PDB file of all heavy atoms in Angstrom:
ATOM      1  N   MET A  76      18.936   2.398  -0.029  1.00 98.00           N
ATOM      2  CA  MET A  76      19.114   1.268   0.838  1.00 98.00           C
ATOM      3  C   MET A  76      20.496   0.637   0.730  1.00 98.00           C
ATOM      4  O   MET A  76      21.098   0.525  -0.364  1.00 98.00           O
ATOM      5  CB  MET A  76      18.023   0.217   0.575  1.00 98.00           C
ATOM      6  CG  MET A  76      16.569   0.653   0.824  1.00 98.00           C
ATOM      7  SD  MET A  76      16.146   1.103   2.444  1.00 98.00           S
ATOM      8  CE  MET A  76      16.223   2.853   2.449  1.00 98.00           C
ATOM      9  N   GLU A  78      20.777  -2.569   1.697  1.00 98.00           N
ATOM     10  CA  GLU A  78      20.465  -3.974   1.295  1.00 98.00           C
ATOM     11  C   GLU A  78      18.995  -4.033   1.121  1.00 98.00           C
ATOM     12  O   GLU A  78      18.152  -3.241   1.545  1.00 98.00           O
ATOM     13  CB  GLU A  78      20.555  -4.774   2.615  1.00 98.00           C
ATOM     14  CG  GLU A  78      20.955  -6.304   2.330  1.00 98.00           C
ATOM     15  CD  GLU A  78      21.353  -6.906   3.527  1.00 98.00           C
ATOM     16  OE1 GLU A  78      22.151  -6.502   4.362  1.00 98.00           O
ATOM     17  OE2 GLU A  78      20.850  -8.068   3.737  1.00 98.00           O
ATOM     18  N   LEU A  79      18.507  -4.932   0.094  1.00 97.00           N
ATOM     19  CA  LEU A  79      17.151  -5.047  -0.230  1.00 97.00           C
ATOM     20  C   LEU A  79      16.667  -6.418  -0.151  1.00 97.00           C
ATOM     21  O   LEU A  79      17.468  -7.430  -0.478  1.00 97.00           O
ATOM     22  CB  LEU A  79      16.968  -4.680  -1.816  1.00 97.00           C
ATOM     23  CG  LEU A  79      17.270  -3.226  -2.117  1.00 97.00           C
ATOM     24  CD1 LEU A  79      17.167  -3.043  -3.605  1.00 97.00           C
ATOM     25  CD2 LEU A  79      16.270  -2.310  -1.442  1.00 97.00           C
ATOM     26  N   ASP A  80      15.541  -6.678   0.444  1.00 95.00           N
ATOM     27  CA  ASP A  80      14.894  -7.973   0.578  1.00 95.00           C
ATOM     28  C   ASP A  80      14.691  -8.384  -0.873  1.00 95.00           C
ATOM     29  O   ASP A  80      14.421  -7.598  -1.792  1.00 95.00           O
ATOM     30  CB  ASP A  80      13.584  -7.628   1.327  1.00 95.00           C
ATOM     31  CG  ASP A  80      12.767  -8.781   1.345  1.00 95.00           C
ATOM     32  OD1 ASP A  80      13.269  -9.909   2.115  1.00 95.00           O
ATOM     33  OD2 ASP A  80      11.669  -8.953   0.869  1.00 95.00           O
ATOM     34  N   VAL A  83      11.710  -6.942  -2.888  1.00 93.00           N
ATOM     35  CA  VAL A  83      11.942  -5.599  -3.310  1.00 93.00           C
ATOM     36  C   VAL A  83      12.507  -5.510  -4.717  1.00 93.00           C
ATOM     37  O   VAL A  83      12.152  -4.705  -5.649  1.00 93.00           O
ATOM     38  CB  VAL A  83      12.761  -4.722  -2.397  1.00 93.00           C
ATOM     39  CG1 VAL A  83      13.039  -3.410  -2.946  1.00 93.00           C
ATOM     40  CG2 VAL A  83      11.982  -4.548  -0.998  1.00 93.00           C
ATOM     41  N   VAL A  89       9.986   0.297  -2.038  1.00 96.00           N
ATOM     42  CA  VAL A  89      10.275  -0.002  -0.613  1.00 96.00           C
ATOM     43  C   VAL A  89       9.081   0.720   0.194  1.00 96.00           C
ATOM     44  O   VAL A  89       8.882   1.900  -0.035  1.00 96.00           O
ATOM     45  CB  VAL A  89      11.633   0.551  -0.121  1.00 96.00           C
ATOM     46  CG1 VAL A  89      11.739   0.527   1.290  1.00 96.00           C
ATOM     47  CG2 VAL A  89      12.773  -0.319  -0.778  1.00 96.00           C
ATOM     48  N   THR A  91       8.884  -0.367   3.704  1.00 98.00           N
ATOM     49  CA  THR A  91       9.324  -0.556   5.065  1.00 98.00           C
ATOM     50  C   THR A  91      10.880  -0.583   5.154  1.00 98.00           C
ATOM     51  O   THR A  91      11.479  -1.390   4.306  1.00 98.00           O
ATOM     52  CB  THR A  91       8.780  -1.993   5.616  1.00 98.00           C
ATOM     53  OG1 THR A  91       7.326  -1.906   5.522  1.00 98.00           O
ATOM     54  CG2 THR A  91       9.179  -2.204   6.963  1.00 98.00           C
ATOM     55  N   VAL A  92      11.540   0.112   6.067  1.00 98.00           N
ATOM     56  CA  VAL A  92      12.811   0.124   6.178  1.00 98.00           C
ATOM     57  C   VAL A  92      13.325  -0.253   7.718  1.00 98.00           C
ATOM     58  O   VAL A  92      12.640   0.249   8.562  1.00 98.00           O
ATOM     59  CB  VAL A  92      13.368   1.586   5.786  1.00 98.00           C
ATOM     60  CG1 VAL A  92      14.886   1.692   6.076  1.00 98.00           C
ATOM     61  CG2 VAL A  92      13.077   1.865   4.455  1.00 98.00           C
ATOM     62  N   LYS A  93      14.204  -1.120   7.687  1.00 98.00           N
ATOM     63  CA  LYS A  93      14.820  -1.546   9.072  1.00 98.00           C
ATOM     64  C   LYS A  93      16.099  -0.827   9.043  1.00 98.00           C
ATOM     65  O   LYS A  93      17.044  -1.071   8.220  1.00 98.00           O
ATOM     66  CB  LYS A  93      14.760  -3.003   9.193  1.00 98.00           C
ATOM     67  CG  LYS A  93      15.232  -3.400  10.580  1.00 98.00           C
ATOM     68  CD  LYS A  93      15.138  -4.995  10.652  1.00 98.00           C
ATOM     69  CE  LYS A  93      15.581  -5.273  12.122  1.00 98.00           C
ATOM     70  NZ  LYS A  93      15.368  -6.566  12.420  1.00 98.00           N
ATOM     71  N   MET A 100      20.809   0.281   6.417  1.00 98.00           N
ATOM     72  CA  MET A 100      19.383   0.198   6.085  1.00 98.00           C
ATOM     73  C   MET A 100      18.995  -0.906   5.251  1.00 98.00           C
ATOM     74  O   MET A 100      19.562  -1.153   4.161  1.00 98.00           O
ATOM     75  CB  MET A 100      18.925   1.428   5.503  1.00 98.00           C
ATOM     76  CG  MET A 100      19.053   2.616   6.252  1.00 98.00           C
ATOM     77  SD  MET A 100      18.142   4.088   5.804  1.00 98.00           S
ATOM     78  CE  MET A 100      18.760   5.191   6.911  1.00 98.00           C
ATOM     79  N   THR A 101      17.839  -1.724   5.637  1.00 98.00           N
ATOM     80  CA  THR A 101      17.469  -2.794   4.792  1.00 98.00           C
ATOM     81  C   THR A 101      15.982  -2.547   4.354  1.00 98.00           C
ATOM     82  O   THR A 101      15.235  -2.081   5.168  1.00 98.00           O
ATOM     83  CB  THR A 101      17.417  -4.152   5.495  1.00 98.00           C
ATOM     84  OG1 THR A 101      18.701  -4.393   5.945  1.00 98.00           O
ATOM     85  CG2 THR A 101      16.988  -5.241   4.483  1.00 98.00           C
ATOM     86  N   GLY A 102      15.773  -2.480   2.914  1.00 98.00           N
ATOM     87  CA  GLY A 102      14.446  -2.181   2.485  1.00 98.00           C
ATOM     88  C   GLY A 102      13.621  -3.349   2.277  1.00 98.00           C
ATOM     89  O   GLY A 102      14.074  -4.416   1.607  1.00 98.00           O
ATOM     90  N   TYR A 103      12.250  -3.320   2.604  1.00 98.00           N
ATOM     91  CA  TYR A 103      11.306  -4.404   2.496  1.00 98.00           C
ATOM     92  C   TYR A 103      10.184  -3.807   1.756  1.00 98.00           C
ATOM     93  O   TYR A 103       9.955  -2.648   1.712  1.00 98.00           O
ATOM     94  CB  TYR A 103      10.907  -5.010   3.815  1.00 98.00           C
ATOM     95  CG  TYR A 103      11.914  -5.613   4.614  1.00 98.00           C
ATOM     96  CD1 TYR A 103      12.778  -4.779   5.372  1.00 98.00           C
ATOM     97  CD2 TYR A 103      12.169  -6.908   4.670  1.00 98.00           C
ATOM     98  CE1 TYR A 103      13.762  -5.262   6.177  1.00 98.00           C
ATOM     99  CE2 TYR A 103      13.101  -7.516   5.408  1.00 98.00           C
ATOM    100  CZ  TYR A 103      13.924  -6.705   6.309  1.00 98.00           C
ATOM    101  OH  TYR A 103      14.982  -7.244   7.122  1.00 98.00           O
ATOM    102  N   ASN A 104       9.349  -4.758   1.204  1.00 96.00           N
ATOM    103  CA  ASN A 104       8.029  -4.232   0.706  1.00 96.00           C
ATOM    104  C   ASN A 104       6.959  -5.146   1.315  1.00 96.00           C
ATOM    105  O   ASN A 104       6.963  -6.421   1.012  1.00 96.00           O
ATOM    106  CB  ASN A 104       7.947  -4.266  -0.812  1.00 96.00           C
ATOM    107  CG  ASN A 104       6.702  -3.600  -1.194  1.00 96.00           C
ATOM    108  OD1 ASN A 104       5.568  -3.914  -0.876  1.00 96.00           O
ATOM    109  ND2 ASN A 104       6.905  -2.563  -2.032  1.00 96.00           N
TER     110      ASN A 104
END
Side-chain angles (χ1 to χ4, degrees):
M76 298 293 105
E78 209 174 312
L79 295 172
D80 177 61
V83 169
V89 165
T91 301
V92 177
K93 184 174 184 176
M100 299 198 184
T101 306
Y103 298 83
N104 192 301

